[in-house]
Amino acid sequence: MSTGELLSIEPLELKFPFELKKQISCSLQLSNKTDSYVAFKVKTTNPKKYCVRPNTGIVLPRSTCDVIVTMQAQKEAPPDMQCKDKFLLQSIKTNDGATMKDITPQVFNKEAGHEVEECKLRVLYVSPPHPPSQVPEGSEEGSSPRVSATENGNVNGFEFSNAAKAFTELEPQERSAEARSLILKLTEEKNKAIQHSNRLRQELELLKRQGNKSRGGVSILFVIVIGLIGLLLGYLMKKS
């Protein structure tokens, strides 16, 4: 934190979690330590690379102001992740009740005899935070470690290993589902065959019973006919 007479600045180093092709922002907090209005202006050695909002403003007495510094998306990483860019924050007391219309570039002109307080800020690139690794369910002790994610947007080994595991587990599940389906189908066909066999057996028994009755009926009728013929012959023989 800067210990200037007018403003306290936190932090004094602008730390950007560097990632290729991605805008990255960090913030500054300016605290007015006086009972006066304090005007400020933020400059940088590389204005095309950074966007500062607000880059000029007024901090009311005993109050704070947040400044957002946004780095434009970068196509290449700097050598050794070192950044030579710098920022300069200028501050000066201004009239009470001053507005943004009163803050002109001449206000921060030291050559005009204005008492301008200056603070230099460094720029640092830091590694982006990585989410904590999660152990997938069902992992066994002693298994080979997962491949860690590589830097600069290359293949994420953790995601690849999860996808490979999901793929390898999917095939047995499909085979198991097919086996269950086949078993159910065979069971249904077996039950239908048993029912059909039982019906055939019942129909066969019924036919057998009907055949026995038919044979029994013919025998009785035959005996009756023979008996009648015998009586008729006997009667004719008596008359003669």
Side-chain angles (χ1 to χ4, degrees):
M1 177 185 294
S2 171
T3 56
E5 295 181 1
L6 302 179
L7 297 177
S8 294
I9 305 169
E10 176 68 26
L12 293 178
E13 294 179 338
L14 297 174
K15 297 182 179 181
F16 293 94
F18 188 86
E19 293 185 62
L20 289 175
K21 301 179 181 180
K22 183 178 181 181
Q23 281 191 349
I24 308 167
S25 299
C26 64
S27 63
L28 292 172
Q29 187 176 75
L30 312 181
S31 300
N32 187 348
K33 301 190 295 182
T34 72
D35 295 322
S36 303
Y37 281 54
V38 175
F40 71 89
K41 184 178 181 65
V42 182
K43 297 181 178 180
T44 178
T45 57
N46 198 341
K48 293 183 179 181
K49 185 177 178 180
Y50 301 95
C51 177
V52 183
R53 291 290 181 273
N55 61 346
T56 304
I58 298 174
V59 187
L60 300 180
R62 305 295 174 180
S63 63
T64 61
C65 177
D66 290 327
V67 177
I68 305 299
V69 182
T70 301
M71 182 178 68
Q72 303 301 321
Q74 302 297 299
K75 296 181 180 180
E76 296 180 356
D80 300 327
M81 294 294 288
Q82 299 296 320
C83 182
K84 297 181 180 180
D85 301 332
K86 291 181 175 59
F87 284 81
L88 178 66
L89 191 145
Q90 296 176 309
S91 57
I92 187 173
K93 285 185 178 181
T94 187
N95 298 328
D96 291 348
T99 64
M100 290 300 300
K101 295 180 180 180
D102 303 319
I103 310 302
T104 64
Q106 295 299 323
V107 172
F108 302 96
N109 189 356
K110 297 176 67 175
E111 295 180 357
H114 299 159
E115 295 183 2
V116 180
E117 195 172 271
E118 295 182 340
C119 179
K120 294 181 180 180
L121 307 174
R122 296 176 56 200
V123 176
L124 296 178
Y125 293 153
V126 297
S127 299
H130 294 287
S133 60
Q134 298 179 355
V135 179
E137 295 183 0
S139 61
E140 299 179 356
E141 295 184 0
S143 60
S144 58
R146 301 291 185 186
V147 180
S148 61
T150 56
E151 297 180 354
N152 298 334
N154 291 336
V155 176
N156 190 321
F158 183 75
E159 294 180 357
F160 177 79
S161 60
N162 280 346
K165 180 181 177 182
F167 178 79
T168 55
E169 290 181 350
L170 183 61
E171 186 177 356
Q173 291 177 355
E174 289 183 348
R175 290 202 301 267
S176 178
E178 291 179 358
R180 287 195 296 269
S181 177
L182 182 60
I183 291 172
L184 291 175
K185 185 176 180 181
L186 292 175
T187 303
E188 290 179 1
E189 292 180 355
K190 178 182 177 182
N191 292 335
K192 290 180 180 179
I194 292 174
Q195 293 175 0
H196 185 64
S197 176
N198 289 335
R199 284 198 299 270
L200 290 177
R201 187 179 296 108
Q202 291 174 359
E203 292 176 358
L204 182 60
E205 291 292 335
L206 181 60
L207 290 174
K208 286 182 179 179
R209 291 175 185 174
Q210 291 177 351
N212 291 334
K213 288 181 179 179
S214 298
R215 287 194 295 271
V218 171
S219 299
I220 294 172
L221 180 60
F222 180 76
V223 171
I224 293 173
V225 171
I226 296 299
L228 291 175
I229 292 172
L231 290 175
L232 181 59
L233 291 175
Y235 175 74
L236 293 174
M237 288 175 69
K238 285 181 180 181
K239 286 185 70 175
S240 58

